[in-house]
C-alpha cells in the first residue's frame, strides 16, 4: 500500500469536522459534504473535492410496532404524500430513491418506478383517520438529513396531517429507534441506509428479515413471512438473472408494505488535501476511502475501471500517515470496513 497508516479521530459535531480540515488537523473527510460546504471548501487552493454517486441512501424509517404506523393504510398515505424530487431539490445533488432501497445504478435495482407521489389520495386517506400528530426525528449533526426531515414534515402538512419535527444527537436518535438493544420510542425517523445492499441484495435481509439474530438492522419491527421467503430466493438463486428477479420481487413487496420509505441517494462530495496524498480514486457507490486508492496508480485505476490520464504513471504522492476525521461512531465503522489493506488503522477519540 502507498499509505502506511490512517488515523481516524472521532469528531462529534458537524461544523467541527469541517473546521478540522480547514485548520489542517485532518487531511481528508470520508463523509459526504453538504453542497454549500463542498462549494466553499472546493474554492480553497489547498483542498480538492471528489464527487460521484454514493450508494448510501437516506430514508424515512417507520415504527410498525405502534400506532399510527402499525396501519398499512397510514404508511401508504405517508408514502403518497412525498414528492421525492422536491425533497431532493432541497437537500442537494443526487437521485430520488423511486426504485426502492437500491441505488438506480445498482445492477440489482429494478427498472420500474416503485414510489409515486399522489397527494390527493394521501389527503383523502389521512382526512378520514383523525391521526394524532406524527413526530419525525432526524440527527442533529447531519445537515442533509436534517433538511430531509423538514421536507418530510412539510409534505405531511401539505397532505393534511399533523406533523412535528425533532432533532436529536446521533446517540440519542440511535436509542430512540432501538439501536444496541434499546426499546424503540419513535414514530418516524430520518436514517441513512447502508450502501452494501446496492452491491449485494442479500443484505436487505439484515434490514428487513423477521429473525432478530440475522436481521440486526431491522429497527422498524417489520415481520413478513413473504419477505423472508423472497430473501431465501435471493440467496439460493442459481444464476444472476434469477437473483435479479428475486431482488425485484423483494423491492416490490417492501414498496407495498413500507417499513421504510426510501427518499434519495445523495451525490458524494469528499474533501481531501492533495499536498498530503493525491492518489485518491473515486469508486462508484463507495467514494474514495477504498483499498484501490492505496495501490499504485495504474493498477488501482485498472481495477476501478478508471482511465489513467496521459503521462500518469505511478508518480503520485506516497504518504506515511493520513488523518481522516469521521463524524460519529457509525462513520468509523464504515471506514474500517472499506480500508482492509492498510497496515494499521488507529482510532483516536476526540471529545
Amino acid at each position: 500500500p502507498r499509505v502506511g497508516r490512517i488515523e481516524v479521530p472521532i469528531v462529534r459535531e458537524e461544523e467541527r469536522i469541517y473546521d478540522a480540515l480547514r485548520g489542517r488537523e485532518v487531511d481528508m473527510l470520508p463523509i459526504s459534504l453538504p453542497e454549500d460546504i463542498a462549494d466553499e471548501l472546493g474554492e480553497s487552493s489547498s483542498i480538492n473535492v471528489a464527487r460521484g454517486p454514493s450508494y448510501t441512501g437516506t430514508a424515512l424509517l417507520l415504527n410498525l410496532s405502534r400506532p399510527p404506523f402499525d396501519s398499512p393504510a397510514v404508511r401508504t398515505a405517508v408514502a403518497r404524500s412525498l414528492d421525492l424530487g422536491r425533497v431532493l431539490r432541497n437537500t442537494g445533488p443526487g437521485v430520488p430513491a423511486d426504485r426502492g432501497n437500491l441505488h438506480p445504478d445498482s445492477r440489482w435495482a429494478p427498472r420500474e418506478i416503485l414510489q409515486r407521489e399522489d397527494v390527493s389520495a394521501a389527503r383523502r386517506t389521512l382526512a378520514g383517520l383523525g391521526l394524532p400528530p406524527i413526530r419525525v426525528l432526524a440527527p442533529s449533526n447531519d445537515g442533509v438529513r436534517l433538511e430531509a426531515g423538514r421536507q418530510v414534515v412539510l409534505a405531511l402538512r401539505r397532505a393534511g396531517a399533523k406533523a412535528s419535527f425533532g432533532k436529536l444527537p446521533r446517540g440519542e436518535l440511535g436509542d430512540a429507534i432501538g439501536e444496541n438493544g434499546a426499546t424503540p420510542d419513535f414514530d418516524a425517523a430520518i436514517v441513512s441506509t447502508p450502501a452494501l445492499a446496492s452491491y449485494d441484495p442479500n443484505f436487505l435481509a439484515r434490514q428487513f428479515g423477521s429473525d432478530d439474530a440475522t436481521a440486526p438492522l431491522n429497527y422498524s419491527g417489520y415481520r413478513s413471512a413473504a419477505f423472508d421467503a423472497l430473501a431465501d430466493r435471493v440467496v439460493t438463486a442459481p444464476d444472476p438473472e434469477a437473483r435479479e428477479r428475486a431482488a425485484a420481487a423483494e423491492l416490490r413487496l417492501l414498496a407495498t408494505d413500507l417499513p421504510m420509505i426510501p427518499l434519495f441517494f445523495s451525490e458524494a462530495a469528499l474533501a481531501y488535501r492533495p499536498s498530503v496524498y493525491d492518489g485518491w480514486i473515486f469508486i462508484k457507490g463507495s467514494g474514495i476511502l477504498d483499498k484501490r486508492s492505496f495501490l499504485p496508480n495504474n493498477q488501482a485505476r485498472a481495477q476501478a475501471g478508471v482511465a489513467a490520464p496521459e503521462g500518469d504513471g505511478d508518480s503520485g504522492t506516497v504518504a506515511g500517515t493520513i488523518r481522516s476525521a469521521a463524524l460519529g461512531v457509525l462513520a468509523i465503522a464504515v471506514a474500517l470496513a472499506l480500508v482492509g489493506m492498510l497496515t494499521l488503522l488507529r482510532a483516536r477519540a476526540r471529545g
Side-chain angles (χ1 to χ4, degrees), residues 40 71 84 90 94 148 151 166 178 195 239 246 251 256 280 298 306 319 326 337:
E40 177 213 326
S71 165
L84 300 186
N90 285 278
Q151 292 300 316
D239 53 60
L251 293 168
T256 298
W280 300 107
N298 287 342
V306 178

Side-chain angles (χ1 to χ4, degrees), residues 195-214:
L196 288 175
S198 291
Y199 292 106
D200 181 358
N202 185 41
F203 196 79
L204 291 170
R206 299 182 66 80
Q207 296 175 264
F208 303 108
S210 300
D211 186 346
D212 291 340
T214 58

